[in-house]
Amino acid sequence: IFCLSLAQPAAGWRIDRCFTIPENPPENTSFILCAQGRFLTPAWTLYYDCWGGGPMPCPPDYQIQGNQISSTLYYYRRDGIWTQIITPWEQYIYIQGLPRGVYSATVNYQLWGSNIVAAAQTRFYVGPPPAFNSQTVSDTNLVLRWNGDPSFLYTIQYSTQLTDNIWQPVPSYSYIDGTSNTMEYKAPTSNGPLRMFRIMSTVK
């Protein structure tokens, strides 16, 4: 059983966000749904606790209905053991492989015995990331094309040194609405440093 030590809060708690690792999970391959949060009053009495303790498995379980995933993280209080506080906290939920598609996930965080629930949501895509399928070069532009999807926002990034793995977004082409047609980006040619491009997608 995987256990953490946290504080019983006086004024509340927060779950700040949840997200998938990797951002675009491959089809039929397990991945992680990560939840992050914090206690708002970390100076209170410390107890021993277990995420998903009792009859629930640890790491936490999840439910899926259609393209909706949900999971609840419980804080169980057990008196008598004093330990160091951990806040902010982070918890992994291991998701089995899913078929291709757009999914939404909700992670709830609840004190055991309380009816107050904090929640965070995310939307993500299971499947291959977008890729350029053609390119043409002229005296003035490098034209990159790919198949768009109206469910996504697209961002073009560039790098001048792949070994550093540092990518910068193209300001004029960041979070652009996808279409159901072939999309393109025109990169002006220049005598400057060599640039490499890639395309990233985010579910709307």
Side-chain angles (χ1 to χ4, degrees), residues 21-60:
I21 305 173
E23 183 178 359
N24 290 315
E27 298 176 71
N28 304 312
T29 302
S30 60
F31 62 95
I32 292 172
L33 179 62
C34 180
Q36 295 177 335
R38 54 195 167 92
F39 288 107
L40 304 183
T41 53
W44 269 57
T45 305
L46 303 181
Y47 294 96
Y48 184 83
D49 80 288
C50 177
W51 294 95
M56 295 181 62
C58 242

Side-chain angles (χ1 to χ4, degrees), residues 42-78:
W44 269 57
T45 305
L46 303 181
Y47 294 96
Y48 184 83
D49 80 288
C50 177
W51 294 95
M56 295 181 62
C58 242
D61 200 358
Y62 66 93
Q63 299 77 45
I64 181 168
Q65 183 174 6
N67 284 34
Q68 308 288 322
I69 298 173
S70 62
S71 182
T72 300
L73 307 177
Y74 291 104
Y75 169 81
Y76 286 79
R77 190 186 77 179
R78 297 178 182 175

Side-chain angles (χ1 to χ4, degrees), residues 34-176:
C34 180
Q36 295 177 335
R38 54 195 167 92
F39 288 107
L40 304 183
T41 53
W44 269 57
T45 305
L46 303 181
Y47 294 96
Y48 184 83
D49 80 288
C50 177
W51 294 95
M56 295 181 62
C58 242
D61 200 358
Y62 66 93
Q63 299 77 45
I64 181 168
Q65 183 174 6
N67 284 34
Q68 308 288 322
I69 298 173
S70 62
S71 182
T72 300
L73 307 177
Y74 291 104
Y75 169 81
Y76 286 79
R77 190 186 77 179
R78 297 178 182 175
D79 296 344
I81 299 179
W82 300 80
T83 186
Q84 184 179 1
I85 187 172
I86 297 177
T87 186
W89 53 263
E90 180 176 277
Q91 178 68 8
Y92 288 167
I93 303 163
Y94 294 91
I95 309 295
Q96 297 180 358
L98 298 174
R100 181 183 302 193
V102 175
Y103 293 83
S104 64
T106 302
V107 179
N108 304 296
Y109 177 63
Q110 184 174 2
L111 291 181
W112 184 252
S114 171
N115 59 1
I116 301 175
V117 178
Q121 295 180 322
T122 187
R123 283 170 54 83
F124 61 95
Y125 175 67
V126 172
F132 300 121
N133 53 30
S134 72
Q135 63 181 37
T136 57
V137 181
S138 68
D139 291 338
T140 57
N141 291 301
L142 166 66
V143 182
L144 303 169
R145 298 183 179 89
W146 67 96
N147 296 325
D149 188 313
S151 299
F152 295 93
L153 302 172
Y154 293 98
T155 297
I156 302 294
Q157 296 180 340
Y158 72 93
S159 176
T160 58
Q161 183 54 263
L162 291 180
T163 57
D164 293 337
N165 197 30
I166 298 176
W167 293 86
Q168 300 292 334
V170 176
S172 62
Y173 213 108
S174 296
Y175 299 104
I176 300 298

